[in-house]
Amino acid sequence: MELTGNKNKNMYKTSDISIVIPSYNNLEYLKSAYKSVREISKDIELILYDDNSNDGTKEWLLELEKEENDIIKIFDKKVGHPVLYDVGFNLTKRKIIGILHADMIIHKDFFTNILKYINPNTIVCGICAEPPIHPPGNEKYILDAGFYPNEFNQSIFNDFYKTLNNGETNNGIFAPWFLLKEDYIKIIGKHDTSFFYCEDVDIFNRMVIAGFEVIQSRDALVYHFTQRGHKFEKGIIGKVQHDYQDRVNKDTRNYIRKWGSMYKFDINHRPIPSPKYNIAYVVKNCNSQLLEVLEPWCDRIYIENQDIVDIYIDREQENTSFNLSKRVFIKSNNDPIGENDIVVEFDVTPLTQQNFQLLQQLPSIIKESGEIGEFELDIFKITINHLEEYQNNLIKL
């Protein structure tokens, strides 16, 4: 039996839905996620990807008796879930696309509570109940129904659902999420594959800037184990793998390079986009350590030492898709500083953490009170030549 929504204008059905579920070393979780969807609906299209796992995922998928609405793909090298989401979205001919993490189990009323809000230019999100290994937040519920699939307590999960307010919504964005494929392709295009860890934050930021109506259905419930194979050490809940933490650090720096600021959320986990300006730093007495700290926070940085520039680019370039030779320069008397919209000149010798926080907040400061001309801000001399904002240029890839 197909499920339909009852509040949207177009009355979409489960047969309109395609869900992409990438998996890397999450076999037992993937089995549970798959089962939870198929127990509710045979009509939904599931696109299952193995991202070169070594835990038996490939073998299980190959042996899986394929149902009519399963698409299974095996990759012989790891490409990352941002790529896999978009490969799946491009494959489907269904009207509605969505993602589900491999370590999520959905409630039997999940799709009914998603479908009733699907409309053009709208992203609809579910809400997670998570075991108490992460701090609470308004975008989720904390519920101890088990840390692993083999200990999942379905009764606790079902009883918790009964306590929720039917039809309650807010405007937070969180996975799992769904929207019309036509809108995704036309407005967003695809995920930014420069990121692995920050990919969801980036795409949520773009959706908000693009003007999507955001609806989180507070009764479209999933249980999120959060024990992902690419994140935690095997068998140790909460102990993050070193290579995962390294990737988090790299991707955070690349997010700042792209957006000019760190990501921010409101209480409902809705992004608060900062304005994106073209900002250049002109820095005196900059050493290699401070260059590493400062470089992501501006579009260009000018320093005095060629050796420091060369060493930094050689070391850091492999960690980013941004061309660092177009971001890091030697300061000379003939540098076209005036070609940058906003120029921040300072000596790093007296730089403190408090000063640095002002640099991090500079886009918001300029948005609130900036005007063409020069002004002093603590140790910084700031020249504003233009006040153009560029965040809308980053919506579609």
Side-chain angles (χ1 to χ4, degrees):
M1 181 179 70
E2 279 199 88
L3 304 174
T4 61
N6 57 16
K7 290 187 179 180
N8 60 7
K9 300 174 183 178
N10 298 299
M11 293 297 291
Y12 295 107
K13 309 178 295 295
T14 48
S15 58
D16 294 320
I17 299 175
S18 179
I19 303 175
V20 180
I21 312 179
S23 185
Y24 173 68
N25 285 344
N26 284 295
L27 177 56
E28 296 308 312
Y29 299 95
L30 179 62
K31 288 179 179 179
S32 295
Y34 179 86
K35 181 181 178 182
S36 73
V37 175
R38 281 290 172 247
E39 284 181 343
I40 298 167
S41 172
K42 302 293 184 182
D43 303 308
I44 291 171
E45 178 182 72
L46 288 178
I47 302 178
L48 308 173
Y49 285 110
D50 172 41
D51 197 14
N52 196 31
S53 302
N54 57 17
D55 67 343
T57 297
K58 174 181 178 180
E59 290 75 17
W60 178 73
L61 288 176
L62 290 174
E63 293 176 2
L64 185 66
E65 182 178 354
K66 293 173 64 175
E67 299 190 22
E68 181 178 353
N69 294 321
D70 288 343
I71 298 176
I72 294 173
K73 298 291 183 182
I74 309 295
F75 283 77
D76 59 6
K77 65 177 181 179
K78 196 172 188 306
V79 298
H81 54 272
V83 173
L84 300 180
Y85 289 143
D86 289 319
V87 171
F89 294 161
N90 287 329
L91 278 176
T92 186
K93 295 182 180 179
R94 302 287 179 99
K95 295 178 182 178
I96 301 168
I97 56 174
I99 69 162
L100 188 69
H101 293 173
D103 58 347
M104 290 178 172
I105 292 176
I106 62 174
H107 185 268
K108 63 183 180 65
D109 292 329
F110 176 82
F111 295 110
T112 298
N113 295 329
I114 290 290
L115 283 169
K116 61 188 177 184
Y117 300 111
I118 294 290
N119 273 307
N121 299 312
T122 304
I123 176 169
V124 183
C125 309
I127 189 164
C128 296
E130 295 182 345
I133 61 174
H134 294 302
N138 201 49
E139 77 280 2
K140 59 186 174 183
Y141 303 117
I142 299 299
L143 177 70
D144 190 355
F147 290 101
Y148 302 100
N150 63 356
E151 64 182 31
F152 176 66
N153 192 314
Q154 186 73 52
S155 295
I156 290 177
F157 187 54
N158 290 341
D159 289 344
F160 179 75
Y161 177 81
K162 295 175 184 177
T163 69
L164 304 180
N165 294 326
N166 181 263
E168 182 182 358
T169 65
N170 65 23
N171 63 354
I173 306 182
F174 210 67
W177 50 264
F178 296 81
L179 76 168
L180 295 177
K181 177 182 176 180
E182 179 182 11
D183 289 341
Y184 181 82
I185 300 300
K186 179 177 63 177
I187 300 173
I188 300 299
K190 61 181 181 178
H191 284 73
D192 189 337
T193 55
S194 302
F195 307 115
F196 182 81
Y197 168 73
C198 293
E199 132 277 333
D200 53 348
V201 181
D202 174 80
I203 203 166
F204 294 160
N205 214 38
R206 291 156 56 196
M207 288 172 172
V208 169
I209 295 172
F212 276 90
E213 180 181 6
V214 180
I215 299 173
Q216 184 182 44
S217 176
R218 304 283 294 187
D219 53 1
L221 185 66
V222 305
Y223 193 75
H224 185 204
F225 290 105
T226 75
Q227 179 69 357
R228 288 162 286 183
H230 70 274
K231 180 175 182 179
F232 295 118
E233 296 285 359
K234 186 175 182 181
I236 306 177
I237 294 174
K239 185 175 181 181
V240 177
Q241 295 179 4
H242 290 300
D243 59 344
Y244 180 83
Q245 188 60 57
D246 288 344
R247 187 59 186 262
V248 169
N249 295 337
K250 291 175 185 177
D251 284 358
T252 300
R253 289 171 61 80
N254 284 321
Y255 182 94
I256 295 167
R257 286 183 177 110
K258 177 176 181 177
W259 292 100
S261 59
M262 191 60 171
Y263 40 81
K264 301 175 184 177
F265 300 96
D266 68 12
I267 191 173
N268 293 326
H269 203 265
R270 179 185 176 89
I272 305 173
S274 294
K276 175 67 175 75
Y277 296 109
N278 170 257
I279 297 177
Y281 294 168
V282 182
V283 186
K284 294 181 180 179
N285 299 315
C286 189
N287 58 34
S288 57
Q289 182 180 6
L290 286 171
L291 176 59
E292 181 175 357
V293 171
L294 294 170
E295 176 268 320
W297 294 93
C298 58
D299 295 278
R300 295 181 180 181
I301 184 167
Y302 298 83
I303 70 171
E304 301 161 313
N305 190 303
Q306 182 70 58
D307 290 338
I308 292 176
V309 169
D310 293 341
I311 292 171
Y312 177 74
I313 292 176
D314 287 343
R315 184 184 73 246
E316 182 69 10
Q317 187 61 73
E318 66 179 2
N319 296 323
T320 182
S321 60
F322 287 85
N323 186 344
L324 295 182
S325 65
K326 294 183 178 181
R327 293 177 59 86
V328 187
F329 301 92
I330 295 299
K331 172 70 172 69
S332 71
N333 292 332
N334 296 321
D335 280 330
I337 302 300
E339 293 184 3
N340 298 284
D341 290 357
I342 299 170
V343 180
V344 184
E345 300 176 75
F346 60 101
D347 188 331
V348 296
T349 306
L351 187 69
T352 65
Q353 183 61 40
Q354 185 176 5
N355 302 139
F356 182 52
Q357 288 176 358
L358 286 176
L359 284 181
Q360 294 172 306
Q361 298 164 7
L362 187 59
S364 296
I365 294 172
I366 292 173
K367 177 70 173 180
E368 291 176 4
S369 58
E371 56 185 25
I372 303 299
E374 295 183 2
F375 66 97
E376 302 285 334
L377 178 66
D378 202 279
I379 66 170
F380 309 108
K381 176 186 175 183
I382 300 173
T383 303
I384 300 180
N385 298 312
H386 303 282
L387 274 172
E388 185 172 356
E389 297 182 14
Y390 297 95
Q391 61 270 19
N392 286 351
N393 297 347
L394 304 176
I395 293 172
K396 184 172 183 178
L397 296 183

